[in-house]
Amino acid sequence: MSKMNSKQVTPTEFYQWLLKILKQAETIDLPTEVNGHELTQEKKDAIKTIVSACYNYLDLDSDIVEGIKKVLIYKLAAP
């Protein structure tokens, strides 16, 4: 159930989809520090959730998602 934007979904379907995103987000590895700046747990959680949603909702190619992940890491690690 990757592209939910084209149909009505039940609350149960949405919950299951969201759970899938959050479970996959747990498997994504991120650095703790970038260019001497700490990447806090809150920021890491946000990046993981966005990256997981890109895979599951937007159905993007893995190279594109990896690029998005890198941009988010460097932007959010900046002071």
Side-chain angles (χ1 to χ4, degrees):
M1 180 169 77
S2 60
K3 293 194 175 189
M4 293 194 330
N5 59 349
S6 63
K7 68 171 190 159
Q8 290 281 20
V9 295
T10 67
T12 302
E13 288 175 319
F14 178 75
Y15 176 75
Q16 289 171 341
W17 173 79
L18 187 56
L19 218 80
K20 179 181 176 183
I21 287 176
L22 295 175
K23 283 184 186 229
Q24 182 180 2
E26 293 175 2
T27 66
I28 297 170
D29 292 326
L30 295 175
T32 55
E33 190 177 285
V34 178
N35 294 333
H37 300 288
E38 180 185 5
L39 195 57
T40 65
Q41 188 60 45
E42 292 84 11
K43 290 178 179 181
K44 286 167 70 173
D45 290 344
I47 293 169
K48 289 178 177 187
T49 303
I50 292 167
V51 168
S52 182
C54 287
Y55 279 120
N56 288 293
Y57 182 70
L58 299 177
D59 209 17
L60 296 175
D61 182 64
S62 62
D63 291 340
I64 294 171
V65 177
E66 285 301 311
I68 292 169
K69 182 170 101 174
K70 286 178 183 177
V71 168
L72 288 170
I73 288 170
Y74 284 101
K75 288 292 186 180
L76 289 176

